[in-house]
Amino acid sequence: MSVHYPSELDHHNGDQERVRVSRTGTKTVGIKKLQRGTGETLWQQLQADLQRRLREGEFTDAFPGELDLRDQYGVSRHTVRAAVRALREEGIVVASRGRSTRINTDAEITQPLGALYSLFASVEAANLRQRSIVRRLDIRADAHVAIRLGLEESAPLLYLERLRLADEQPLAHDCAWLPASIASPLLGADFSHTGLYDELASRCDIRLTGGSEQIRAVVPNSVQHKLLGTTPDVAAMKVERIGTANGTPVEWRTSLIRGDRFSVLADFTARSGYSLNLSATNMP
């Protein structure tokens, strides 16, 4: 059986999506036809379709090379290089001299400043597989946390401790306390693949509307390094948060996040700028 390698004009014919066989003999399913005159360049369309295929679980073994992509889509190598360059700039794929392009398994999770931030949502948005190992989920007392939440020192608290994974690699050690009086229904939730805020809304009818948090760099101890799977030369970011619902504290959370996989992002304008509240802290 002969295999047809399409020319750059082939994308003007045929179905919107097709099955092709690459020069290596690998079948590729659901390739989107690229079209001229749509307002997007061919390389932008190619970039978008490669992102879609990544989301749908293709390229688990290897990312296709330039010649394969040229043959699959019927475009020039210049078009392929522009699309792959854009993916590389976004951190989706990586490439270096002498090595083929490959999927970036160490994608960075970005937290927007000034927003109600969910680590679960951000991991999902980065096209990484989200999973948590639940280490503790129970009711307990903690005088220090209760005071932070404006409660009596002996008030029962729901405690949730998780090791957060992204693509099966440790990302964060996360501990959250909430008043048991409102959060006890969470004892029935499976937090291995769900967000705390989603469960809080659906099971307790509580939706966070604001809060405050402090983010600072720390040096993990040996136990924390082992938990996060980091080497001694990797720092971490410690996030401490009070989450509120209509001004009432409902969550105290501490998160230790790998510094090599986490960053914060601030938007600003020429008129208003932005400000960060920097305060001195006692480093551990």
Side-chain angles (χ1 to χ4, degrees), residues 8-26:
E8 186 146 0
L9 297 178
D10 283 347
H11 60 70
H12 289 288
N13 302 306
D15 297 329
Q16 182 70 10
E17 294 187 351
R18 66 191 70 184
V19 178
R20 283 181 175 157
V21 181
S22 71
R23 62 175 47 245
T24 58
T26 303

Side-chain angles (χ1 to χ4, degrees), residues 105-116:
T105 57
D106 294 323
E108 186 177 82
I109 312 302
T110 301
Q111 168 177 339
L113 287 175
L116 186 56

Side-chain angles (χ1 to χ4, degrees), residues 111-118 197 209-213 215 241 265 267:
Q111 168 177 339
L113 287 175
L116 186 56
Y117 169 71
S118 166
Y197 295 162
T209 56
S212 62
E213 65 181 22
I215 305 173
R241 165 183 288 190
L265 174 68
D267 293 323

Side-chain angles (χ1 to χ4, degrees), residues 7-267:
S7 69
E8 186 146 0
L9 297 178
D10 283 347
H11 60 70
H12 289 288
N13 302 306
D15 297 329
Q16 182 70 10
E17 294 187 351
R18 66 191 70 184
V19 178
R20 283 181 175 157
V21 181
S22 71
R23 62 175 47 245
T24 58
T26 303
K27 287 187 177 181
T28 54
V29 182
I31 294 175
K32 186 176 181 179
K33 181 176 66 175
L34 309 184
Q35 295 179 316
R36 298 183 186 276
T38 63
E40 283 189 319
T41 63
L42 291 181
W43 73 261
Q44 289 173 323
Q45 296 176 54
L46 176 55
Q47 174 195 4
D49 199 48
L50 290 173
Q51 289 174 322
R52 175 188 63 81
R53 293 171 67 186
L54 280 164
R55 288 194 300 269
E56 292 177 358
E58 287 197 54
F59 316 137
T60 54
D61 295 328
F63 191 81
E66 285 185 5
L67 295 179
D68 263 343
L69 291 175
R70 182 199 67 182
D71 295 339
Q72 290 174 21
Y73 286 91
V75 295
S76 68
R77 291 184 71 176
H78 175 76
T79 296
V80 170
R81 287 171 181 170
V84 173
R85 185 186 308 116
L87 294 178
R88 189 168 62 247
E89 290 173 352
E90 292 183 19
I92 297 174
V93 299
V94 293
S96 57
R97 182 178 295 275
R99 298 189 64 182
S100 58
T101 301
R102 61 194 187 281
I103 299 172
N104 185 7
T105 57
D106 294 323
E108 186 177 82
I109 312 302
T110 301
Q111 168 177 339
L113 287 175
L116 186 56
Y117 169 71
S118 166
L119 187 61
F120 178 87
S122 293
V123 172
E124 296 281 302
N127 296 319
L128 301 175
R129 291 185 299 277
Q130 160 84 37
R131 188 169 73 86
S132 293
I133 299 173
V134 179
R135 294 166 58 87
R136 300 284 189 278
L137 177 58
D138 56 34
I139 303 294
R140 61 178 63 187
D142 188 304
H144 174 73
V145 174
I147 291 172
R148 287 183 176 273
L149 292 172
L151 304 172
E152 295 290 335
E153 294 184 7
S154 59
L157 304 170
L158 180 132
Y159 175 66
L160 171 62
E161 179 184 348
R162 294 171 289 174
L163 180 62
R164 316 290 293 273
L165 308 178
D167 272 358
E168 294 303 311
Q169 296 299 314
L171 172 66
H173 179 226
D174 193 68
C175 303
W177 293 261
L178 301 94
S181 58
I182 63 172
S184 57
L186 296 179
L187 289 171
D190 178 7
F191 284 102
S192 61
H193 187 80
T194 188
L196 172 59
Y197 295 162
D198 289 340
E199 294 296 329
L200 189 62
S202 63
R203 293 174 181 266
C204 308
D205 198 27
I206 300 293
R207 292 168 178 80
L208 267 66
T209 56
S212 62
E213 65 181 22
Q214 181 185 69
I215 305 173
R216 57 191 174 98
V218 297
V219 177
N221 58 37
S222 58
V223 174
Q224 292 168 332
H225 273 305
K226 183 176 181 180
L227 191 63
L228 294 176
T230 52
T231 55
D233 60 334
V234 176
M237 303 296 289
K238 184 173 184 179
V239 182
E240 297 179 320
R241 165 183 288 190
I242 283 282
T244 61
N246 299 317
T248 300
V250 295
E251 174 202 32
W252 168 250
R253 185 192 297 227
T254 63
S255 301
L256 189 68
I257 310 178
R258 287 177 52 157
D260 59 345
R261 304 195 69 185
F262 180 77
S263 67
V264 293
L265 174 68
D267 293 323

